[in-house]
């Protein structure tokens, strides 16, 4: 069947003429719902798409839940942990396999419980093969859990920001708020060393642990500027408590 052409090349061949778009779906009132332009762009909710796929519409909130989103990407895989919708981003590579996906965005089921809707958001990149990774392997780089924790280098972040497997650099200020504010250096998942300020006072506390013991307060700087080593209540600019060695 040919529409706009007398020589159709497929079961349904729709061809535009001049500036007329070849395909338009409209509502009963004549409002354009979906269009395919002469440039090959597809518009849903718009008749003037600016890209290959342009989706527009309003979303609906039900309390804190987005009840009706603008667009949904769902997986039809059997329900299981780590299954969910995936969007791939990529392009031409200049290699034998081209085009190729360079990165992925994944929203997946977090808990193996049929009654749980908990999910996480993960960002993946494709490796160039450095650091022991497989060339062109897909690796998860960042995860936001259902609890709102962010993990970089870990899929099970234990804090609001959990960075593992490498160094973290900050070119500007790092601001930490909350009742107990601090930075901890973990060893095998156990807090061994850290700098923190508790909600009880404005002291800055340095904590150090050993391989066999948890972290303990080793040095304190009070809001008055007093420094305590071996004591958490220094009464002078430098207060030392304990056994001194030569």
């Amino acid at each position: 069947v040919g529409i706009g052409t007398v020589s159709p090349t497929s079961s349904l061949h729709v061809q535009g003429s001049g500036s007329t778009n070849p395909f338009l779906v409209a509502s009963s009132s004549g409002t354009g719902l979906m269009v395919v332009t002469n440039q090959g762009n597809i518009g849903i909710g718009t008749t003037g798409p600016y890209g290959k796929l342009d989706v527009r519409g309003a979303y609906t909130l039900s309390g804190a839940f987005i009840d009706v989103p603008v667009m949904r990407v769902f997986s039809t895989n059997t329900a299981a942990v780590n299954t969910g919708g995936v969007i791939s981003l990529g392009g031409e590579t200049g290699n034998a396999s081209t085009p190729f996906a360079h990165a992925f965005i994944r929203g997946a089921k977090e808990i193996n419980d049929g009654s749980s809707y908990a999910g996480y958001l993960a960002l993946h990149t494709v490796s160039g093969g450095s650091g022991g990774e497989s060339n062109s392997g897909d690796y998860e780089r960042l995860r936001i859990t259902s609890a709102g924790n962010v993990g970089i280098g870990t899929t099970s972040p234990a804090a609001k920001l959990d960075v593992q497997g490498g160094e973290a650099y900050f070119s500007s200020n790092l601001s930490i708020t909350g009742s107990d504010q601090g930075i901890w250096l973990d060893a095998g998942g156990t807090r061994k060393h850290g700098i923190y300020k508790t909600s009880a006072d404005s002291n800055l506390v340095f904590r150090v642990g050993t391989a066999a013991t948890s972290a303990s307060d080793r040095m304190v700087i009070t809001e008055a500027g007093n420094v305590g080593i071996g004591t958490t209540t220094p009464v002078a600019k430098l207060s030392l408590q304990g056994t001194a060695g030569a």
Side-chain angles (χ1 to χ4, degrees):
V1 178
I3 300 175
T5 176
V6 295
S7 52
T9 58
S10 60
S11 297
L12 176 61
H13 186 156
V14 181
Q15 183 170 319
S17 175
S19 60
T20 303
N21 292 324
F23 187 76
L24 173 68
V25 176
S27 67
S28 58
S29 63
T31 302
L33 302 177
M34 186 178 77
V35 67
V36 179
T37 69
N38 283 316
Q39 293 74 36
N41 295 342
I42 299 174
I44 300 176
T46 176
T47 57
Y50 281 92
K52 286 302 178 184
L53 177 61
D54 190 340
V55 180
R56 307 184 196 183
Y59 63 88
T60 302
L61 285 174
S62 179
F65 187 75
I66 300 176
D67 191 38
V68 180
V70 175
M71 184 173 68
R72 302 201 302 179
V73 178
F74 281 14
S75 166
T76 57
N77 295 83
T78 302
V81 173
N82 298 324
T83 60
V86 179
I87 298 175
S88 64
L89 307 170
E92 301 296 333
T93 65
N95 298 328
S97 297
T98 188
F100 199 84
H102 302 308
F104 301 87
I105 302 173
R106 181 164 59 100
K109 184 175 175 63
E110 185 176 64
I111 300 173
N112 190 22
D113 183 346
S115 63
S116 175
Y117 295 103
Y120 65 84
L121 177 68
L123 303 182
H124 298 240
T125 63
V126 172
S127 174
S130 62
E133 297 177 343
S134 300
N135 186 33
S136 298
D138 163 26
Y139 293 89
E140 182 177 324
R141 306 301 187 183
L142 182 146
R143 177 177 293 202
I144 304 175
T145 69
S146 61
N149 292 346
V150 178
I152 300 176
T154 175
T155 59
S156 54
K160 286 302 179 185
L161 177 60
D162 191 341
V163 181
Q164 298 184 25
E167 299 176 337
Y169 293 92
F170 299 92
S171 60
S172 186
N173 296 330
L174 172 64
S175 178
I176 302 174
T177 60
S179 57
D180 291 316
Q181 306 152 20
I183 299 175
W184 293 93
L185 307 177
D186 283 9
T190 303
R191 290 181 172 181
K192 291 298 183 182
H193 314 293
I195 304 172
Y196 79 100
K197 184 193 80 67
T198 66
S199 58
D201 50 47
S202 297
N203 296 342
L204 184 64
V205 182
F206 293 78
R207 307 197 82 184
V208 178
T210 67
T213 63
S214 58
S216 299
D217 295 351
R218 304 299 185 181
M219 185 175 76
V220 174
I221 302 176
T222 69
E223 57 184 333
N226 294 342
V227 177
I229 300 177
T231 176
T232 58
T233 56
V235 295
K237 286 302 180 185
L238 178 60
S239 294
L240 302 176
Q241 184 173 316
T243 302

